Amino acid sequence: DLPSKGSTIELEYTGTLLGQKSWSTTDVVDCWLSQLQGLDQLSPKFTENEIDGSKLTNESFFTEEYCTSQLEIINKIQAKKLIMA
């Protein structure tokens, strides 16, 4: 059944990287980052900061603050898009 107009629904989102903690930095760049519309230009920063699957899936490490300070993402929408992907 579809919810009626104006009703509230709840979704559980697990992200696109569930189970990818063993990915290398190259895997993250080639298989994940390259698929995010408009964010593939961040590949050099991901490589420079050695963002692998373990770092990317660590919610305590890969935060909006990390994206803006270490990856130098100025656009907060892009930073949120990265951490929510």
Side-chain angles (χ1 to χ4, degrees), residues 21-69:
K21 287 184 179 185
S22 63
W23 277 10
S24 68
T25 299
T26 302
D27 294 334
V28 168
V29 169
D30 292 348
C31 300
W32 182 75
L33 187 61
S34 66
Q35 302 302 310
L36 296 177
Q37 186 177 21
L39 298 177
D40 56 331
Q41 79 276 6
L42 296 172
S43 297
K45 284 290 182 187
F46 269 65
T47 302
E48 177 184 318
N49 287 280
E50 299 179 343
I51 304 297
D52 58 12
S54 178
K55 289 179 180 176
L56 190 62
T57 57
N58 182 337
E59 293 177 14
S60 298
F61 176 84
F62 198 75
T63 63
E64 187 176 342
E65 162 124 7
Y66 179 83
C67 290
T68 55
S69 64

Side-chain angles (χ1 to χ4, degrees), residues 42 46 67-76 78-79 82:
L42 296 172
F46 269 65
C67 290
T68 55
S69 64
Q70 298 301 310
L71 300 179
E72 299 174 4
I73 299 172
I74 298 168
N75 185 321
K76 293 221 179 233
Q78 284 186 333
L82 271 177

